[in-house]
Amino acid sequence: MPTVAVVPQFSVEVVGRNIQVFGAVDAALSSRAGDTYALLDMQGRVLRRGPVTGVSFAIPVDRAGTYFVRIGNGMQRVSVK
């Protein structure tokens, strides 16, 4: 029987000019520990990247806009006002 890999999802929330990422690492699987995150603009340009070091972390942004946060194969869209 084939094994099915489950990719845990993460969530994002805006707090001021920071994008808070939650659930970036599955505590039971440590599935994203060591992965990198990327913050992309609407054109797909990488604005910032860094290591995923814990279950939650903040990504600072300079201005309002719509961004994508990518971790591993997962991606979330977020609007900063």
mmCIF file of all heavy atoms in Angstrom, residues 20-52:
data_model
loop_
_atom_site.group_PDB
_atom_site.id
_atom_site.type_symbol
_atom_site.label_atom_id
_atom_site.label_comp_id
_atom_site.label_asym_id
_atom_site.label_seq_id
_atom_site.Cartn_x
_atom_site.Cartn_y
_atom_site.Cartn_z
ATOM 1 N N GLN A 20 2.486 37.606 10.893
ATOM 2 C CA GLN A 20 2.713 36.544 11.873
ATOM 3 C C GLN A 20 2.393 35.209 11.211
ATOM 4 O O GLN A 20 1.323 35.044 10.637
ATOM 5 C CB GLN A 20 1.813 36.730 13.092
ATOM 6 C CG GLN A 20 2.222 37.840 14.008
ATOM 7 C CD GLN A 20 3.503 37.546 14.740
ATOM 8 O OE1 GLN A 20 4.364 38.397 14.788
ATOM 9 N NE2 GLN A 20 3.659 36.375 15.289
ATOM 10 N N VAL A 21 3.310 34.275 11.293
ATOM 11 C CA VAL A 21 3.129 32.939 10.735
ATOM 12 C C VAL A 21 2.959 31.979 11.907
ATOM 13 O O VAL A 21 3.762 31.984 12.840
ATOM 14 C CB VAL A 21 4.342 32.530 9.869
ATOM 15 C CG1 VAL A 21 4.155 31.142 9.305
ATOM 16 C CG2 VAL A 21 4.577 33.545 8.755
ATOM 17 N N PHE A 22 1.896 31.179 11.864
ATOM 18 C CA PHE A 22 1.600 30.215 12.920
ATOM 19 C C PHE A 22 1.569 28.808 12.335
ATOM 20 O O PHE A 22 1.145 28.610 11.207
ATOM 21 C CB PHE A 22 0.242 30.504 13.565
ATOM 22 C CG PHE A 22 0.153 31.857 14.192
ATOM 23 C CD1 PHE A 22 -0.457 32.910 13.521
ATOM 24 C CD2 PHE A 22 0.681 32.077 15.449
ATOM 25 C CE1 PHE A 22 -0.543 34.165 14.096
ATOM 26 C CE2 PHE A 22 0.606 33.335 16.026
ATOM 27 C CZ PHE A 22 -0.005 34.378 15.356
ATOM 28 N N GLY A 23 1.991 27.841 13.127
ATOM 29 C CA GLY A 23 1.935 26.445 12.694
ATOM 30 C C GLY A 23 2.952 26.110 11.633
ATOM 31 O O GLY A 23 2.744 25.217 10.821
ATOM 32 N N ALA A 24 4.073 26.831 11.642
ATOM 33 C CA ALA A 24 5.085 26.618 10.605
ATOM 34 C C ALA A 24 5.811 25.293 10.770
ATOM 35 O O ALA A 24 6.318 24.748 9.809
ATOM 36 C CB ALA A 24 6.092 27.761 10.606
ATOM 37 N N VAL A 25 5.857 24.769 11.988
ATOM 38 C CA VAL A 25 6.513 23.489 12.244
ATOM 39 C C VAL A 25 5.508 22.601 12.962
ATOM 40 O O VAL A 25 4.924 23.007 13.955
ATOM 41 C CB VAL A 25 7.773 23.669 13.123
ATOM 42 C CG1 VAL A 25 8.372 22.325 13.484
ATOM 43 C CG2 VAL A 25 8.789 24.533 12.415
ATOM 44 N N ASP A 26 5.307 21.419 12.454
ATOM 45 C CA ASP A 26 4.447 20.439 13.115
ATOM 46 C C ASP A 26 5.256 19.840 14.251
ATOM 47 O O ASP A 26 6.272 19.184 14.026
ATOM 48 C CB ASP A 26 4.019 19.357 12.131
ATOM 49 C CG ASP A 26 3.028 18.385 12.717
ATOM 50 O OD1 ASP A 26 3.186 18.030 13.909
ATOM 51 O OD2 ASP A 26 2.117 17.973 12.007
ATOM 52 N N ALA A 27 4.833 20.073 15.490
ATOM 53 C CA ALA A 27 5.596 19.633 16.658
ATOM 54 C C ALA A 27 5.822 18.128 16.655
ATOM 55 O O ALA A 27 6.869 17.648 17.052
ATOM 56 C CB ALA A 27 4.879 20.058 17.931
ATOM 57 N N ALA A 28 4.848 17.369 16.185
ATOM 58 C CA ALA A 28 4.980 15.908 16.195
ATOM 59 C C ALA A 28 5.943 15.419 15.119
ATOM 60 O O ALA A 28 6.655 14.451 15.311
ATOM 61 C CB ALA A 28 3.611 15.269 16.003
ATOM 62 N N LEU A 29 5.966 16.111 13.988
ATOM 63 C CA LEU A 29 6.760 15.639 12.857
ATOM 64 C C LEU A 29 8.026 16.450 12.613
ATOM 65 O O LEU A 29 8.902 16.015 11.882
ATOM 66 C CB LEU A 29 5.907 15.674 11.577
ATOM 67 C CG LEU A 29 4.622 14.863 11.587
ATOM 68 C CD1 LEU A 29 3.843 15.109 10.308
ATOM 69 C CD2 LEU A 29 4.917 13.391 11.756
ATOM 70 N N SER A 30 8.103 17.649 13.192
ATOM 71 C CA SER A 30 9.182 18.597 12.883
ATOM 72 C C SER A 30 9.327 18.734 11.367
ATOM 73 O O SER A 30 10.407 18.787 10.823
ATOM 74 C CB SER A 30 10.504 18.144 13.501
ATOM 75 O OG SER A 30 10.393 18.127 14.892
ATOM 76 N N SER A 31 8.192 18.780 10.685
ATOM 77 C CA SER A 31 8.179 18.674 9.238
ATOM 78 C C SER A 31 8.758 19.868 8.509
ATOM 79 O O SER A 31 9.215 19.719 7.392
ATOM 80 C CB SER A 31 6.764 18.428 8.751
ATOM 81 O OG SER A 31 5.941 19.482 9.178
ATOM 82 N N ARG A 32 8.729 21.039 9.091
ATOM 83 C CA ARG A 32 9.258 22.182 8.366
ATOM 84 C C ARG A 32 10.494 22.770 9.020
ATOM 85 O O ARG A 32 11.006 23.779 8.565
ATOM 86 C CB ARG A 32 8.171 23.247 8.235
ATOM 87 C CG ARG A 32 7.085 22.829 7.271
ATOM 88 C CD ARG A 32 6.300 24.031 6.820
ATOM 89 N NE ARG A 32 5.391 23.642 5.778
ATOM 90 C CZ ARG A 32 4.082 23.554 5.919
ATOM 91 N NH1 ARG A 32 3.522 23.831 7.054
ATOM 92 N NH2 ARG A 32 3.327 23.199 4.911
ATOM 93 N N ALA A 33 10.944 22.183 10.107
ATOM 94 C CA ALA A 33 12.158 22.683 10.743
ATOM 95 C C ALA A 33 13.298 22.586 9.736
ATOM 96 O O ALA A 33 13.510 21.551 9.129
ATOM 97 C CB ALA A 33 12.471 21.888 11.995
ATOM 98 N N GLY A 34 14.002 23.670 9.549
ATOM 99 C CA GLY A 34 15.099 23.687 8.589
ATOM 100 C C GLY A 34 14.694 24.193 7.217
ATOM 101 O O GLY A 34 15.545 24.523 6.419
ATOM 102 N N ASP A 35 13.388 24.235 6.929
ATOM 103 C CA ASP A 35 12.936 24.821 5.672
ATOM 104 C C ASP A 35 13.163 26.330 5.710
ATOM 105 O O ASP A 35 13.423 26.900 6.756
ATOM 106 C CB ASP A 35 11.438 24.572 5.447
ATOM 107 C CG ASP A 35 11.136 23.204 4.887
ATOM 108 O OD1 ASP A 35 12.086 22.453 4.604
ATOM 109 O OD2 ASP A 35 9.948 22.885 4.737
ATOM 110 N N THR A 36 13.032 26.955 4.573
ATOM 111 C CA THR A 36 13.097 28.407 4.521
ATOM 112 C C THR A 36 11.729 28.947 4.134
ATOM 113 O O THR A 36 10.943 28.279 3.478
ATOM 114 C CB THR A 36 14.137 28.894 3.492
ATOM 115 O OG1 THR A 36 13.790 28.389 2.217
ATOM 116 C CG2 THR A 36 15.528 28.458 3.867
ATOM 117 N N TYR A 37 11.468 30.166 4.578
ATOM 118 C CA TYR A 37 10.259 30.854 4.136
ATOM 119 C C TYR A 37 10.675 31.861 3.070
ATOM 120 O O TYR A 37 11.842 32.260 2.996
ATOM 121 C CB TYR A 37 9.545 31.554 5.296
ATOM 122 C CG TYR A 37 10.235 32.807 5.778
ATOM 123 C CD1 TYR A 37 10.031 34.029 5.138
ATOM 124 C CD2 TYR A 37 11.105 32.773 6.852
ATOM 125 C CE1 TYR A 37 10.675 35.173 5.559
ATOM 126 C CE2 TYR A 37 11.747 33.913 7.281
ATOM 127 C CZ TYR A 37 11.528 35.109 6.639
ATOM 128 O OH TYR A 37 12.172 36.240 7.054
ATOM 129 N N ALA A 38 9.720 32.241 2.249
ATOM 130 C CA ALA A 38 9.954 33.307 1.281
ATOM 131 C C ALA A 38 8.739 34.220 1.295
ATOM 132 O O ALA A 38 7.602 33.753 1.333
ATOM 133 C CB ALA A 38 10.168 32.746 -0.120
ATOM 134 N N LEU A 39 8.982 35.515 1.292
ATOM 135 C CA LEU A 39 7.932 36.520 1.172
ATOM 136 C C LEU A 39 7.985 37.034 -0.257
ATOM 137 O O LEU A 39 9.033 37.517 -0.704
ATOM 138 C CB LEU A 39 8.166 37.663 2.162
ATOM 139 C CG LEU A 39 7.158 38.799 2.106
ATOM 140 C CD1 LEU A 39 5.788 38.324 2.595
ATOM 141 C CD2 LEU A 39 7.641 39.977 2.925
ATOM 142 N N LEU A 40 6.879 36.889 -0.977
ATOM 143 C CA LEU A 40 6.838 37.276 -2.387
ATOM 144 C C LEU A 40 5.813 38.383 -2.608
ATOM 145 O O LEU A 40 4.795 38.443 -1.908
ATOM 146 C CB LEU A 40 6.456 36.074 -3.252
ATOM 147 C CG LEU A 40 7.410 34.899 -3.209
ATOM 148 C CD1 LEU A 40 6.916 33.862 -2.217
ATOM 149 C CD2 LEU A 40 7.545 34.290 -4.559
ATOM 150 N N ASP A 41 6.067 39.234 -3.599
ATOM 151 C CA ASP A 41 5.073 40.223 -3.985
ATOM 152 C C ASP A 41 4.141 39.607 -5.024
ATOM 153 O O ASP A 41 4.277 38.431 -5.376
ATOM 154 C CB ASP A 41 5.736 41.515 -4.483
ATOM 155 C CG ASP A 41 6.546 41.343 -5.752
ATOM 156 O OD1 ASP A 41 6.456 40.277 -6.412
ATOM 157 O OD2 ASP A 41 7.277 42.286 -6.103
ATOM 158 N N MET A 42 3.206 40.379 -5.511
ATOM 159 C CA MET A 42 2.196 39.863 -6.451
ATOM 160 C C MET A 42 2.798 39.458 -7.793
ATOM 161 O O MET A 42 2.198 38.690 -8.529
ATOM 162 C CB MET A 42 1.087 40.892 -6.669
ATOM 163 C CG MET A 42 0.218 41.116 -5.446
ATOM 164 S SD MET A 42 -0.696 39.636 -4.975
ATOM 165 C CE MET A 42 -1.856 39.525 -6.308
ATOM 166 N N GLN A 43 3.983 39.948 -8.113
ATOM 167 C CA GLN A 43 4.646 39.570 -9.360
ATOM 168 C C GLN A 43 5.532 38.331 -9.176
ATOM 169 O O GLN A 43 6.186 37.889 -10.114
ATOM 170 C CB GLN A 43 5.491 40.728 -9.900
ATOM 171 C CG GLN A 43 4.677 41.867 -10.476
ATOM 172 C CD GLN A 43 4.012 42.708 -9.400
ATOM 173 O OE1 GLN A 43 4.602 42.989 -8.368
ATOM 174 N NE2 GLN A 43 2.773 43.095 -9.622
ATOM 175 N N GLY A 44 5.578 37.805 -7.959
ATOM 176 C CA GLY A 44 6.369 36.609 -7.698
ATOM 177 C C GLY A 44 7.818 36.878 -7.349
ATOM 178 O O GLY A 44 8.607 35.953 -7.223
ATOM 179 N N ARG A 45 8.163 38.141 -7.152
ATOM 180 C CA ARG A 45 9.535 38.475 -6.765
ATOM 181 C C ARG A 45 9.734 38.187 -5.277
ATOM 182 O O ARG A 45 8.873 38.532 -4.463
ATOM 183 C CB ARG A 45 9.827 39.950 -7.029
ATOM 184 C CG ARG A 45 9.840 40.294 -8.502
ATOM 185 C CD ARG A 45 10.109 41.760 -8.680
ATOM 186 N NE ARG A 45 8.973 42.511 -8.144
ATOM 187 C CZ ARG A 45 8.395 43.547 -8.751
ATOM 188 N NH1 ARG A 45 8.881 43.989 -9.896
ATOM 189 N NH2 ARG A 45 7.383 44.161 -8.211
ATOM 190 N N VAL A 46 10.855 37.588 -4.944
ATOM 191 C CA VAL A 46 11.170 37.303 -3.548
ATOM 192 C C VAL A 46 11.662 38.585 -2.893
ATOM 193 O O VAL A 46 12.660 39.171 -3.315
ATOM 194 C CB VAL A 46 12.230 36.189 -3.426
ATOM 195 C CG1 VAL A 46 12.604 35.971 -1.970
ATOM 196 C CG2 VAL A 46 11.721 34.899 -4.048
ATOM 197 N N LEU A 47 10.939 39.038 -1.867
ATOM 198 C CA LEU A 47 11.308 40.253 -1.152
ATOM 199 C C LEU A 47 12.160 39.963 0.073
ATOM 200 O O LEU A 47 12.968 40.780 0.496
ATOM 201 C CB LEU A 47 10.047 40.996 -0.713
ATOM 202 C CG LEU A 47 9.067 41.354 -1.823
ATOM 203 C CD1 LEU A 47 7.814 41.966 -1.236
ATOM 204 C CD2 LEU A 47 9.721 42.289 -2.821
ATOM 205 N N ARG A 48 11.929 38.802 0.655
ATOM 206 C CA ARG A 48 12.645 38.427 1.873
ATOM 207 C C ARG A 48 12.601 36.921 2.005
ATOM 208 O O ARG A 48 11.644 36.281 1.602
ATOM 209 C CB ARG A 48 11.943 39.085 3.061
ATOM 210 C CG ARG A 48 12.641 38.991 4.372
ATOM 211 C CD ARG A 48 11.838 39.746 5.438
ATOM 212 N NE ARG A 48 11.642 41.127 5.064
ATOM 213 C CZ ARG A 48 12.230 42.166 5.654
ATOM 214 N NH1 ARG A 48 13.025 41.967 6.664
ATOM 215 N NH2 ARG A 48 12.002 43.390 5.253
ATOM 216 N N ARG A 49 13.635 36.352 2.570
ATOM 217 C CA ARG A 49 13.626 34.917 2.877
ATOM 218 C C ARG A 49 14.463 34.676 4.117
ATOM 219 O O ARG A 49 15.297 35.487 4.473
ATOM 220 C CB ARG A 49 14.098 34.077 1.709
ATOM 221 C CG ARG A 49 15.534 34.205 1.351
ATOM 222 C CD ARG A 49 15.939 33.213 0.285
ATOM 223 N NE ARG A 49 14.943 33.169 -0.755
ATOM 224 C CZ ARG A 49 15.133 32.829 -2.009
ATOM 225 N NH1 ARG A 49 16.323 32.492 -2.392
ATOM 226 N NH2 ARG A 49 14.166 32.811 -2.872
ATOM 227 N N GLY A 50 14.175 33.548 4.756
ATOM 228 C CA GLY A 50 14.912 33.224 5.966
ATOM 229 C C GLY A 50 14.541 31.834 6.438
ATOM 230 O O GLY A 50 13.647 31.185 5.886
ATOM 231 N N PRO A 51 15.197 31.371 7.484
ATOM 232 C CA PRO A 51 14.935 30.022 7.983
ATOM 233 C C PRO A 51 13.673 29.965 8.840
ATOM 234 O O PRO A 51 13.336 30.925 9.524
ATOM 235 C CB PRO A 51 16.174 29.724 8.833
ATOM 236 C CG PRO A 51 16.613 31.065 9.311
ATOM 237 C CD PRO A 51 16.302 32.025 8.191
ATOM 238 N N VAL A 52 12.989 28.839 8.784
ATOM 239 C CA VAL A 52 11.869 28.571 9.680
ATOM 240 C C VAL A 52 12.492 27.959 10.928
ATOM 241 O O VAL A 52 13.032 26.861 10.882
ATOM 242 C CB VAL A 52 10.853 27.603 9.043
ATOM 243 C CG1 VAL A 52 9.787 27.200 10.042
ATOM 244 C CG2 VAL A 52 10.241 28.231 7.809
#
